[in-house]
Amino acid sequence: MNCDDVRSELLHYQRGQLSTLHRNDIRVHLEACPACAHEVKAEAMLTETLERRLPPHAAPLGLKRRLAAQWPRTSPRKPSWWARWRLFVVPALATATVLLIAVPIHYGQPGPFQSDRSASMVTEAVTNHLRLLSSQHPLDIESGNMHQVKPWYEGRLDFAPVVRFLGDQEFPLAGGAIGYFLDRKAAVFVFHRRLHAISLIVFPARGLPWSRRGLVPVGAVRASVSDDRGFHVILWRQGEQGYALISDVDLPELMQLAARLSANS
């Protein structure tokens, strides 16, 4: 097995979801490859932080990963844009993680625009954004052309994500990936605003605890606007699909992008 083969299976290797033969092949490779062995330790530390040291969320990550194990697997892509941004984002993320572990603070509580019913959705959105920021291969398809990114999801999701904004000079598109939101598969689109990464998660809206209180007008819709762990989260429902927009970019700028994404045409 080569490094790409092994790294695409690290999560399943840690969760004990591989056959004995396949697991032995990976173990042999790890004993001979210090770089891949380091990746195992890094993934284990991230999992420890997200699953055990942070407050529990509505849907356990273990359940999501068991569901994710049944999804079509995609090969990891060569890092490109993330190699430029991780020098700025990773140190800040590491500092925030240490503070969250060391200081007994409370977060994720409803803010002035957030209802109790949507708190779990806000927490889920930020957790997914943090995982994307910490990944060495956050994108399954890297392209600034939405007409290349959207067709890539065909056959990989049980719905067709509706995204009318194609990206522009102010908010360029970086690419997309397969993700999950609570108990369902989702499409993840990544935009940029200067040095800030912006995650757009698109998912089936039915059956989720959408808030009807404290909504604010954003473009063609009314949305829930919240803050959690230093990130802004904008949640809205449009037709049969739900949208979560997450970033640490200034809120007025994030609202501009949300307005373009929620436009009817």
Side-chain angles (χ1 to χ4, degrees):
M1 301 183 70
N2 57 37
C3 293
D4 288 340
D5 295 333
V6 170
R7 294 185 185 186
S8 67
E9 299 285 1
L10 285 183
L11 183 59
H12 304 287
Y13 175 77
Q14 287 188 335
R15 306 299 294 185
Q17 297 172 334
L18 302 176
S19 66
T20 302
L21 180 60
H22 198 176
R23 186 177 179 83
N24 288 339
D25 289 342
I26 292 179
R27 183 182 297 111
V28 170
H29 178 87
L30 293 176
E31 291 174 352
C33 180
C36 288
H38 176 75
E39 289 295 322
V40 172
K41 293 180 180 179
E43 180 66 24
M45 292 179 61
L46 176 61
T47 299
E48 169 72 15
T49 298
L50 293 178
E51 291 188 357
R52 297 185 176 87
R53 301 192 183 185
L54 296 184
H57 310 310
L61 285 174
L63 173 60
K64 298 174 193 174
R65 287 175 172 175
R66 287 196 296 272
L67 294 173
Q70 303 175 13
W71 304 343
R73 299 177 187 173
T74 55
S75 301
R77 306 286 177 173
K78 295 181 179 179
S80 59
W81 69 271
W82 182 240
R84 300 192 300 270
W85 305 111
R86 65 184 293 114
L87 294 177
F88 299 94
V89 176
V90 171
L93 178 60
T95 301
T97 301
V98 171
L99 290 175
L100 287 172
I101 295 173
V103 181
I105 61 175
H106 298 279
Y107 57 81
Q109 299 301 320
F113 300 108
Q114 178 184 353
S115 72
D116 294 339
R117 299 179 68 241
S118 64
S120 62
M121 296 175 64
V122 172
T123 301
E124 174 75 1
V126 173
T127 298
N128 288 348
H129 183 64
L130 285 170
R131 181 168 288 276
L132 180 142
L133 291 179
S134 64
S135 173
Q136 289 194 350
H137 304 287
L139 298 178
D140 294 324
I141 175 171
E142 298 180 15
S143 174
N145 187 343
M146 185 65 77
H147 295 298
Q148 293 180 350
V149 176
K150 286 179 67 176
W152 178 87
Y153 288 101
E154 294 180 4
R156 294 178 168 88
L157 295 173
D158 54 3
F159 69 99
V162 177
V163 179
R164 297 183 177 89
F165 176 65
L166 306 181
D168 56 21
Q169 291 184 349
E170 292 184 315
F171 298 98
L173 176 68
I178 297 293
Y180 46 82
F181 191 83
L182 294 174
D183 60 350
R184 59 205 65 194
K185 292 180 70 172
V188 181
F189 298 85
V190 177
F191 294 88
H192 286 154
R193 178 62 172 167
R194 297 185 295 276
L195 297 179
H196 301 271
I198 304 175
S199 295
L200 171 67
I201 307 174
V202 185
F203 48 91
R206 181 176 299 178
L208 294 178
W210 293 97
S211 175
R212 297 182 180 179
R213 298 178 296 171
L215 303 181
V216 298
V218 178
V221 300
R222 296 183 65 82
S224 169
V225 181
S226 308
D227 293 318
D228 184 32
R229 285 170 276 178
F231 295 93
H232 303 298
V233 180
I234 303 177
L235 280 164
W236 73 93
R237 179 174 182 172
Q238 203 162 9
E240 296 181 352
Q241 297 185 10
Y243 299 81
L245 193 64
I246 315 100
S247 181
D248 61 348
V249 72
D250 291 341
L251 182 57
E253 294 179 304
L254 194 64
M255 294 281 280
Q256 291 178 21
L257 177 57
R260 299 180 190 184
L261 289 165
S262 63
N264 289 325
S265 61

